[in-house]
Amino acid sequence: MTDQVAVEKLKAKFPGSVLDVKEFRGELTLTVKAEDILAICTFCKKELGYTMLADLAGVDLSAMGVSGPRFQVVYNIYNIKAKQRLRLKAPVEESRPRIDTVSGVWGSANWLERECWDLMGISFNNHPDLRRILMPDDWVGHPLRKDYPVQGPDREPYQGRQI
Amino acid sequence: MAAMTETMTINMGPQHPSTHGVLRLVLELDGENVVKATPHIGFLHRGVEKLSEYRTYHQVIPLTDRLDYLAPMSNNLGYVLAVEKLLGITEQIPERAKVVRVMLAELTRLKSHLVWLACHALDIGAMTVFIYCFREREHIMEMYEKISGARMTSNYFRVGGLSADLPDGFEKSVREFIDAMPGHIDTYEGLLTGNKIWQKRIVGVGVISGEDALDIGITGGSLRGSGIDWDLRRDHPYSGYEEYDFKVPVQDGCDTWARYKVRLDEMRESCKIVRQALDKLKPGPILADVPKVCLPPKQNVVNTIEGLIHHFKIITEGFKPEAGEVYQSVEAPKGELGFYLISDGSARPYRMKIRPPSFLNLQALPQMVEGRLIADVVAVIGTLDIVLGDIDR
């Protein structure tokens, strides 16, 4: 099964959910609706053979200069038999930074989602154990957000090298 | 009438040597049996992902080797490959640079596995193996020092190739080392494999089925010890790995013993790959011919004004990949190490997400130790081969 076949199957199964398909440097990225993420991930694992969630990342688009929802949750999934990778992206609104957990689909999502919550402030519905993982429990704020100063909240903001 | 029992909660780590850095485990014990294990991490958190958003692509390289400080070159390799993919210059990397990268990545695998074996054996009580492994590791550290100037935090790979050619006599010292290494591996095996204490401590300990391992995201030697035949060097070749002849060791015991055997075999295979790389090594350029990305040769910088300007511009401004995103992973000694890079067209990564192997491997610890004895916890931490720099980032 090629990547394209997987995309076609996803489109056929979830006609209204696949918002965008993009290819860059030979990698396929599918943007899907956040509310259907659990169903789509379950389908990807059960029917399309993407048995491994390699990585889950939160992205803050607020400094990118694009319109649309502020956050994205990115799933890099992998089909170990067909040796194919696929990337799913779900846009998440700033006003309601929540998305369903996929830790029931892939166990590895448990810690990855905790990390995403901790560092990016995106919450996961029905997550079994949503606690901070890298920062202390009483930490205020989410450090990987673009509006969080790189040297910490109580310091002179570091602007980076001016380029 | 059954005796009343009460569970006791204890902290293991962060200071205990077998917790490999700063891992704290909260163990709920019923006598000697582990009822529940909860890992607490984050003591090291250095914010590498955040920092890299404020640096040019080249400036990020020295951050990456501090992730898994026992296998710095593998991290460097993963990162530079990701940036090369983002730039679309993967095809232009010169042959010599690719061969040197493979050779050093495999020496790094040996280096990392030596520390794994040393610490794993020491955790279980075998002191001699520890001393022997560190003796051999020292040779690799010396090679690191010769090529990059640093023993641990190498900074040798560049986007587009290497920072400099190999020093004189380097190939000879690698060959001497690699000829002696299989004999050393036999020595370690001689000390451990037939040893009754070693067997009793690791056979059947920390069992995790292939399916569970895949579900929880375990990769690398730990996954291959659970019978899943998967190795990125063979299945998604990078840096010319498809041209090398090597086997991917797999064991289906799913226990600490299987993982021990897999990693020992991997060390032998690494020796083979290094030997092949040495045979392949031909003189040639070490940097791709991409003037916007790669620094010009030093002679041009000091002798010509164009070279000087060119050098200055790359150092001060960096380079600007077109907007887009890539995910590139390599088979690091501990498993799949991935870099997910997003570019917004500026000279700095917009977002860099690292997929560290140890982070996901450690997640499996509770299900591997719950129901077992507290002494097994030490063996399982050792067999997962975790490094907290990799987990906490």
Side-chain angles (χ1 to χ4, degrees):
Chain A
M1 185 171 65
T2 65
D3 297 357
Q4 288 299 344
V5 175
V7 174
E8 291 310 318
K9 281 193 176 168
L10 269 171
K11 272 185 175 167
K13 175 88 184 166
F14 302 96
S17 295
V18 180
L19 304 173
D20 185 30
V21 182
K22 221 183 231 168
E23 196 180 341
F24 182 72
R25 308 282 183 230
E27 295 182 6
L28 266 179
T29 309
L30 257 77
T31 310
V32 297
K33 275 193 185 157
E35 47 276 26
D36 298 328
I37 194 72
L38 187 58
I40 289 172
C41 287
T42 311
F43 182 75
C44 282
K45 186 183 177 185
K46 296 261 163 68
E47 306 295 324
L48 304 179
Y50 289 92
T51 44
M52 189 173 151
L53 174 71
D55 197 11
L56 185 150
V59 184
D60 179 358
L61 294 173
S62 61
M64 188 82 106
V66 290
S67 57
R70 177 175 173 183
F71 297 111
Q72 274 179 345
V73 182
V74 183
Y75 305 80
N76 278 304
I77 57 177
Y78 186 63
N79 182 334
I80 207 159
K81 283 216 180 77
K83 298 175 185 171
Q84 266 159 4
R85 292 190 187 280
L86 185 68
R87 186 156 47 235
L88 300 176
K89 275 179 154 187
V92 176
E93 295 284 351
E94 183 181 7
S95 55
R96 197 174 164 277
R98 304 186 71 82
I99 189 166
D100 286 337
T101 178
V102 293
S103 56
V105 184
W106 299 287
S108 53
N110 189 324
W111 276 25
L112 290 167
E113 287 179 345
R114 275 176 72 187
E115 187 190 352
C116 184
W117 151 245
D118 186 3
L119 302 179
M120 197 60 86
I122 300 169
S123 179
F124 292 86
N125 301 325
N126 306 323
H127 189 284
D129 183 25
L130 199 63
R131 289 179 289 131
R132 284 195 181 267
I133 186 163
L134 290 173
M135 311 303 281
D137 288 339
D138 55 353
W139 195 265
V140 179
H142 302 286
L144 277 182
R145 288 189 172 188
K146 288 285 178 183
D147 52 9
Y148 192 95
V150 69
Q151 285 195 325
D154 304 323
R155 292 195 183 186
E156 190 75 9
Y158 174 68
Q159 300 295 335
R161 250 168 84 238
Q162 295 304 305
I163 300 169
Chain B
M1 199 175 96
M4 287 273 285
T5 56
E6 223 173 84
T7 59
M8 176 173 68
T9 304
I10 65 157
N11 280 296
M12 187 166 155
Q15 79 288 358
H16 191 270
S18 76
T19 51
H20 293 245
V22 281
L23 168 67
R24 175 174 157 233
L25 286 175
V26 177
L27 299 174
E28 194 183 329
L29 299 176
D30 179 6
E32 271 193 274
N33 293 305
V34 178
V35 179
K36 193 172 187 316
T38 315
H40 287 264
I41 60 172
F43 295 90
L44 271 183
H45 189 51
R46 296 163 294 182
V48 170
E49 288 173 13
K50 182 86 173 171
L51 281 174
S52 53
E53 292 172 9
Y54 290 81
R55 273 157 178 71
T56 62
Y57 284 92
H58 260 135
Q59 287 174 323
V60 176
I61 299 174
L63 295 178
T64 59
D65 50 49
R66 282 153 176 83
L67 293 168
D68 176 357
Y69 35 77
L70 298 177
M73 290 247 185
S74 298
N75 301 310
N76 292 161
L77 181 61
Y79 174 73
V80 297
L81 285 172
V83 179
E84 282 161 7
K85 196 173 189 183
L86 191 62
L87 287 160
I89 59 167
T90 310
E91 301 298 315
Q92 285 154 271
I93 310 304
E95 189 59 30
R96 184 174 170 86
K98 288 208 277 193
V99 176
V100 171
R101 281 176 177 186
V102 168
M103 183 171 89
L104 290 167
E106 291 307 318
L107 283 172
T108 303
R109 189 179 315 280
L110 280 170
K111 181 172 177 257
S112 173
H113 280 5
L114 282 168
V115 178
W116 153 75
L117 183 60
C119 297
H120 188 32
L122 188 69
D123 287 350
I124 293 178
M127 176 72 97
T128 316
V129 181
F130 177 84
I131 307 283
Y132 282 2
C133 288
F134 270 68
R135 181 186 65 191
E136 269 74 75
R137 178 174 179 256
E138 191 60 30
H139 290 292
I140 303 179
M141 303 274 259
E142 275 169 19
M143 291 174 199
Y144 266 50
E145 195 173 352
K146 272 188 202 157
I147 56 164
S148 70
R151 285 162 53 82
M152 290 276 280
T153 49
S154 61
N155 186 4
Y156 181 58
F157 297 157
R158 290 289 179 275
V159 177
L162 310 169
S163 70
D165 212 333
L166 294 173
D168 289 340
F170 186 77
E171 289 151 55
K172 190 165 164 280
S173 59
V174 175
R175 202 175 280 277
E176 279 169 11
F177 173 75
I178 221 70
D179 285 341
M181 197 58 209
H184 294 311
I185 301 171
D186 291 342
T187 311
Y188 313 145
E189 264 221 280
L191 282 164
L192 294 174
T193 305
N195 185 323
K196 278 280 181 300
I197 304 170
W198 180 253
Q199 290 174 359
K200 292 258 180 209
R201 288 297 303 275
I202 69 171
V203 174
V205 170
V207 176
I208 186 157
S209 70
E211 203 178 313
D212 287 350
L214 206 58
D215 181 58
I216 203 87
I218 293 182
T219 45
S222 307
L223 183 66
R224 291 188 285 274
S226 289
I228 304 242
D229 185 11
W230 182 56
D231 188 312
L232 283 166
R233 292 175 292 171
R234 185 196 58 200
D235 298 336
H236 284 270
Y238 50 89
S239 204
Y241 263 111
E242 64 274 17
E243 294 162 21
Y244 295 83
D245 175 32
F246 62 98
K247 283 203 281 291
V248 176
V250 180
Q251 296 268 339
D252 53 7
C254 307
D255 59 353
T256 305
W257 175 265
R259 291 185 280 272
Y260 157 76
K261 293 294 262 184
V262 162
R263 291 209 183 94
L264 278 180
D265 288 344
E266 259 179 38
M267 286 165 80
R268 295 199 174 92
E269 293 298 319
S270 287
C271 293
K272 275 193 215 163
I273 299 175
V274 172
R275 207 167 286 130
Q276 289 173 46
L278 282 170
D279 295 338
K280 266 179 196 284
L281 208 55
K282 302 278 180 317
I286 50 151
L287 262 181
D289 186 18
V290 188
K292 290 262 189 246
V293 173
C294 304
L295 291 176
K298 202 70 185 171
Q299 290 97 323
N300 293 7
V301 180
V302 290
N303 291 325
T304 66
I305 189 69
E306 291 81 10
L308 183 67
I309 293 169
H310 186 175
H311 185 276
F312 181 77
K313 277 188 74 90
I314 291 178
I315 294 290
T316 53
E317 291 176 15
F319 50 82
K320 295 177 179 167
E322 70 179 281
E325 57 195 313
V326 293
Y327 176 80
Q328 170 71 41
S329 55
V330 294
E331 186 72 27
K334 292 166 181 70
E336 176 179 350
L337 171 76
F339 286 90
Y340 172 55
L341 278 172
I342 301 181
S343 162
D344 61 345
S346 74
R348 305 177 202 165
Y350 182 78
R351 171 90 165 96
M352 178 170 93
K353 170 75 172 71
I354 304 158
R355 186 257 190 235
S358 301
F359 183 78
L360 289 138
N361 290 358
L362 179 68
Q363 199 185 168
L365 184 91
Q367 69 192 73
M368 286 164 88
V369 300
E370 279 167 13
R372 302 217 42 112
L373 298 175
I374 186 168
D376 294 338
V377 177
V378 178
V380 173
I381 296 174
T383 192
L384 283 173
D385 190 19
I386 52 167
V387 158
L388 267 293
D390 202 21
I391 293 168
D392 294 353
R393 300 191 291 301

